[in-house]
Amino acid sequence: MVDVELSDAIRLCDEGLIEDIDHAMLPPAPDGTPPEEDFIEGALQPCAVATITWSTIYAFNEEAFPEDGAQPATIADFFDTEAFPGKRGVRKWPKAIMEMALMADGVPPEEVYDVLATDEGVDRAFAQLDRIKDDIVWWEAGAQAPQLLADGEVVMTTAYNGRIYGAQVEEDQPFEIVWDGQNLDLDLWVVPAGAPNRDAAMEFITFSTDTQRLADQAKYISYGPARRSSFPLVEADMQPHMPTNPENMEKALISDPLFWADYQEELNQRFNTWLLQ
Amino acid sequence: MATTTLAPATAAASDARDGRGEALRAADGTPLKRKLERTTRLSRLRAFLLVVPLLAFVVVSFLVPVGTLLWRGVSSPTFATHMPRTTAVLAEWDGRAVPGEAAFAALAADLVDARESRDIGKVATRVNRELSGTRSLFTRSARRAERIDEGPFRAAIIDIDEDWGELELWRAMKVASWSVTPAFYLQALDLQVEADGAIARLPEERQLHVSLFWRTLWMSGLITFLCLLLGFPVAYLLANLPLKYSNLLMIFVLLPFWTSLLVRTTSWIALLQSQGVLNDVFVALGLAADDRRLQLIYNQAGTIIAMTHILLPFMILPLYSVMKTIPPSYLRAARSLGADQVTAFRRVYLPQTVPGIGAGSLLVFILAVGYYITPALVGGQSGQLISNIIAFHMESTLNWNLAAALGGILLVGVVLLYWTYNRLIGIDNIKLG
């Protein structure tokens, strides 16, 4: 079995590369709520079952911006090198940073994808990115982002929220997450078509996506469970670190897998061309 | 070997026969000539059998994959295979106006079938490569096309989504329907083919590959030149120092050569990064301000420095092997005949090192043109080479057709370069050690 992002799960399913998943095999919530209602929106796909919600956020190092001075607080601050000078880490991939650029330009989360589907919208996003282009250090693997931040190579970076949590808690790093403009996405289990141990894989999916198991994984990393019935079981001191915590959700964008399935190629090409300029 | 040693013997045998008017015979009575031929053939066969394992290995692990990949650069059967009826209609279509009822009927039938066989995603991906934003149109429409029982299909399909009435979409489908297509090679050259067969440049904000090819060429050229500049004196010392010093020096050259590529690349990161060793030294010496450290890595400079270092042995070793064979007495002779130091070097020594310079430069340049891991790690955005984009299409976008086309162009470029070199200097003149 494989852990994939939502847009990939949809593409894989369309192309017949992964097995169908029978939702009836999934256990109901302890109170009897059927899985179709218990799982959050988008979590149950014809060929995939979500386990966690995670998000792309940006985080800064408090050594660069101490508490007694001005600290970045909004997504626009990430693109403002005058108020907050210094290098920025960004994942070398158009997804998430394009949306963040538009939100920084004042586009409300619910309109981001409509704007990004137009040429003018893409130009707007690149205009924002142009403002920080000379200050960007690109990263590709998730572990690089907290490393860049810890090494002082950058003063702030986009990252997966769990990676920053890991650095904050386990390594006691003075990192601070800015939830404004976060991009929420799902991770899902899929089973490759024709997998030799298909039945065992399905059994594992049933086991690992029940209410208690999903709540338990949140003990180890700050990724939200994909079932509503798991929310109250998450330990209290983990709650504020969850991307789905109401306070963190005030200006959150739900990543649109269909948009990325449609526009990934074109935006990749434009993104790579922009990188070269 | 067998033929060269036997040839004079054969000649002698035939001379002898001409002389006496009858054939020489071996001890068992067969004519000598025939017996010789048989021995030669046998030894040739034996030699061939000895290389068969290697030949088979090269064919299976090199020629076949390269061949299939090159074929991928022009082959795109997805649409034609999974949308056969639409493909047939599109072949007749002139591309001037949105086609009529027959085309929509074929489309409806194909969409339903492709959805049932779960190939609709592949078809959608293919068309989306020609016209962005159409992927979900296909998957969505295929779901709803099942409910269309009877005509008129045109109205029913446009009712699902009015985008089906767009000429642009039909033209993209026509391009996608060609099983053998120039589309990927054109895209690799920042061009696109339109449904009426005309070839046009891509819009400026999507022109990526040509400038990347040029960058790869000039950066590889610069790296080759730097390797030559740094490697030549080292090779000279290696060839001319007394043995006990030159052995030590040789170890300094070989040790990094034997060290893993990744280790060498990552140690450059530790050295060059803005909080790294070199910058710390600069700051301590007052050469750079602490808040304005030099950006030596994650850019072109990083790629050039790290690749020059990594490819240096490939320049030094061929140079050394050539220089080792130049007798020092030649230079002394030149001096004694009145040439000054510079003239003696320029007119006597340098021309004799040309085979080594040629071998080293060709080796370094060809390696640099296809280099991938070092620019990926230390190149940032401005230090990426064409191979990084090829890897990107292989691993991230899974557009193997485009990756194959880019690789094909790179291959042709390297072969052309080799050919030019052969014409200008001669490949026999090369000495690899």
Side-chain angles (χ1 to χ4, degrees):
Chain A
M1 27 196 321
V2 189
D3 172 75
V4 300
E5 293 177 20
L6 185 50
S7 54
D8 293 329
I10 292 175
R11 264 186 83 158
L12 289 166
C13 196
D14 283 342
E15 298 189 10
L17 296 172
I18 49 178
E19 296 274 346
D20 282 332
I21 288 179
D22 178 13
H23 297 161
M25 77 181 194
L26 300 170
D31 64 0
T33 314
E36 285 78 7
E37 288 164 37
D38 194 25
F39 275 91
I40 59 175
E41 201 187 331
L44 285 187
Q45 295 289 332
C47 321
V49 181
T51 52
I52 54 169
T53 57
W54 54 276
S55 92
T56 306
I57 44 78
Y58 84 90
F60 63 90
N61 193 328
E62 285 202 315
E63 280 170 12
F65 306 111
E67 245 174 294
D68 49 5
Q71 287 188 319
T74 66
I75 189 67
D77 293 340
F78 189 78
F79 295 85
D80 187 348
T81 47
E82 272 168 35
F84 301 99
K87 298 261 177 206
R88 278 110 165 100
V90 177
R91 184 183 174 196
K92 202 156 118 193
W93 192 244
K95 196 168 159 182
I97 192 66
M98 300 289 285
E99 289 101 315
M100 285 177 162
L102 281 184
M103 285 190 281
D105 200 21
V107 180
E110 58 277 12
E111 289 170 24
V112 161
Y113 288 109
D114 291 337
V115 176
L116 207 51
T118 63
D119 277 343
E120 300 77 53
V122 178
D123 290 341
R124 261 177 87 179
F126 280 121
Q128 282 294 313
L129 280 165
D130 275 333
R131 297 174 61 196
I132 56 168
K133 188 174 183 183
D134 294 336
D135 290 305
I136 293 180
V137 175
W138 299 99
W139 58 267
E140 282 174 71
Q144 281 175 289
Q147 193 61 47
L148 287 170
L149 209 51
D151 287 348
E153 283 289 309
V154 298
V155 296
M156 54 179 93
T157 180
T158 65
Y160 309 131
N161 70 297
R163 300 281 184 168
I164 298 298
Y165 169 83
Q168 284 169 329
V169 173
E170 282 154 31
E171 293 165 32
D172 216 16
Q173 295 280 1
F175 299 164
E176 203 54 56
I177 290 180
V178 176
W179 292 100
D180 188 72
Q182 64 157 317
N183 281 230
L184 277 165
D185 206 334
L186 296 171
D187 259 21
L188 307 92
W189 284 134
V190 300
V191 179
N197 298 313
R198 184 185 167 281
D199 294 342
M202 292 297 172
E203 214 174 299
F204 179 75
I205 290 179
T206 308
F207 164 77
S208 62
T209 59
D210 74 6
T211 301
Q212 189 59 47
R213 245 48 63 187
L214 287 185
D216 284 350
Q217 70 81 30
K219 280 181 197 162
Y220 306 104
I221 195 162
S222 60
Y223 292 137
R227 276 181 187 258
R228 291 190 180 83
S229 58
S230 306
F231 293 171
L233 302 177
V234 175
E235 289 166 19
D237 53 348
M238 184 57 106
Q239 295 281 7
H241 300 289
M242 287 284 160
T244 43
N245 191 40
E247 247 177 64
N248 300 338
M249 285 286 285
E250 272 168 28
K251 195 173 149 197
L253 174 95
I254 317 268
S255 188
D256 181 356
L258 290 180
F259 174 86
W260 282 108
D262 272 354
Y263 290 97
Q264 181 89 59
E265 300 244 350
E266 181 178 355
L267 288 178
N268 274 340
Q269 173 113 7
R270 284 203 58 178
F271 188 73
N272 285 327
T273 312
W274 174 80
L275 281 179
L276 216 70
Q277 281 160 5
Chain B
M1 283 307 280
T3 45
T4 49
T5 50
L6 283 172
T10 322
S14 71
D15 280 351
R17 190 188 57 190
D18 289 341
R20 288 189 201 165
E22 63 179 62
L24 269 181
R25 290 179 184 278
D28 60 0
T30 47
L32 188 58
K33 193 176 179 191
R34 199 181 304 152
K35 194 164 170 81
L36 273 171
E37 265 169 12
R38 199 162 60 211
T39 337
T40 327
R41 204 166 45 234
L42 265 176
S43 62
R44 275 207 199 116
L45 186 70
R46 203 176 303 133
F48 178 73
L49 283 176
L50 278 173
V51 300
V52 158
L54 179 65
L55 190 68
F57 179 76
V58 168
V59 168
V60 170
S61 70
F62 188 71
L63 291 181
V64 172
V66 168
T68 34
L69 214 68
L70 285 179
W71 173 239
R72 259 179 197 275
V74 291
S75 146
S76 160
T78 314
F79 192 93
T81 313
H82 302 303
M83 307 280 279
R85 298 174 209 124
T86 318
T87 302
V89 177
L90 283 171
E92 307 289 314
W93 179 54
D94 63 2
R96 292 221 186 87
V98 175
E101 179 64 19
F104 279 91
L107 177 70
D110 280 341
L111 281 177
V112 173
D113 285 356
R115 180 171 150 73
E116 241 162 58
S117 63
R118 294 192 52 179
D119 291 312
I120 188 68
K122 295 174 199 155
V123 173
T125 303
R126 177 67 193 95
V127 179
N128 199 47
R129 273 182 189 145
E130 296 302 325
L131 183 64
S132 211
T134 51
R135 195 171 190 289
S136 61
L137 175 68
F138 273 81
T139 47
R140 193 171 64 230
S141 304
R143 274 194 290 275
R144 296 182 51 186
E146 278 172 13
R147 284 183 234 138
I148 306 175
D149 300 325
E150 55 189 31
F153 290 98
R154 186 185 161 117
I157 287 187
I158 293 182
D159 187 45
I160 293 176
D161 197 306
E162 55 191 26
D163 283 350
W164 288 109
E166 298 284 333
L167 183 57
E168 209 185 2
L169 174 64
W170 284 90
R171 286 185 162 171
M173 289 205 306
K174 179 158 174 116
V175 173
S177 72
W178 297 332
S179 300
V180 175
T181 173
F184 302 112
Y185 268 93
L186 290 173
Q187 203 192 338
L189 293 168
D190 294 338
L191 301 167
Q192 64 184 349
V193 60
E194 283 159 4
D196 52 9
I199 290 169
R201 296 202 67 154
L202 282 175
E204 200 178 340
E205 71 270 11
R206 293 180 59 189
Q207 289 177 16
L208 170 64
H209 302 119
V210 173
S211 51
L212 209 51
F213 273 117
W214 284 122
R215 176 198 279 180
T216 306
L217 283 184
W218 79 254
M219 279 179 66
S220 303
L222 179 63
I223 288 163
T224 311
F225 178 72
L226 289 174
C227 278
L228 183 61
L229 210 61
L230 295 171
F232 196 90
V234 178
Y236 181 81
L237 284 180
L238 273 174
N240 290 292
L241 278 181
L243 207 57
K244 61 173 176 176
Y245 299 115
S246 67
N247 271 347
L248 186 70
L249 197 59
M250 194 57 158
I251 288 175
F252 284 143
V253 174
L254 288 178
L255 213 57
F257 190 53
W258 292 332
T259 312
S260 151
L261 175 70
L262 273 177
V263 172
R264 281 186 286 164
T265 305
T266 37
S267 25
W268 275 113
I269 298 180
L271 285 172
L272 295 178
Q273 63 185 345
S274 60
Q275 303 294 323
V277 179
L278 207 61
N279 261 310
D280 284 349
V281 172
F282 284 161
V283 170
L285 292 177
L287 292 173
D290 197 15
D291 55 345
R292 309 199 61 165
R293 286 163 175 254
L294 298 176
Q295 188 67 42
L296 295 170
I297 202 162
Y298 307 125
N299 56 16
Q300 250 161 38
T303 302
I304 291 170
I305 294 173
M307 276 178 65
T308 302
H309 169 246
I310 285 164
L311 294 176
L312 204 48
F314 293 99
M315 180 66 86
I316 294 177
L317 295 176
L319 272 177
Y320 164 74
S321 80
V322 168
M323 288 176 177
K324 197 75 188 158
T325 62
I326 303 175
S329 54
Y330 285 12
L331 266 184
R332 284 202 295 273
R335 293 298 304 279
S336 77
L337 289 171
D340 61 25
Q341 198 102 18
V342 177
T343 314
F345 174 78
R346 194 169 52 84
R347 299 199 41 195
V348 174
Y349 196 77
L350 195 61
Q352 296 186 76
T353 61
V354 164
I357 296 179
S361 302
L362 202 63
L363 206 57
V364 169
F365 188 85
I366 288 178
L367 282 172
V369 158
Y371 233 59
Y372 152 70
I373 192 80
T374 304
L377 286 173
V378 303
Q381 59 196 34
S382 61
Q384 300 290 305
L385 302 181
I386 194 73
S387 50
N388 300 105
I389 282 287
I390 297 178
F392 177 75
H393 286 303
M394 289 298 288
E395 293 166 359
S396 297
T397 68
L398 301 186
N399 191 349
W400 285 16
N401 303 97
L402 181 55
L406 288 166
I409 292 174
L410 194 61
L411 183 66
V412 169
V414 171
V415 169
L416 267 181
L417 191 88
Y418 182 85
W419 181 80
T420 320
Y421 181 89
N422 193 19
R423 290 299 297 268
L424 290 180
I425 300 175
I427 217 73
D428 305 334
N429 207 3
I430 226 166
K431 198 158 188 310
L432 284 170

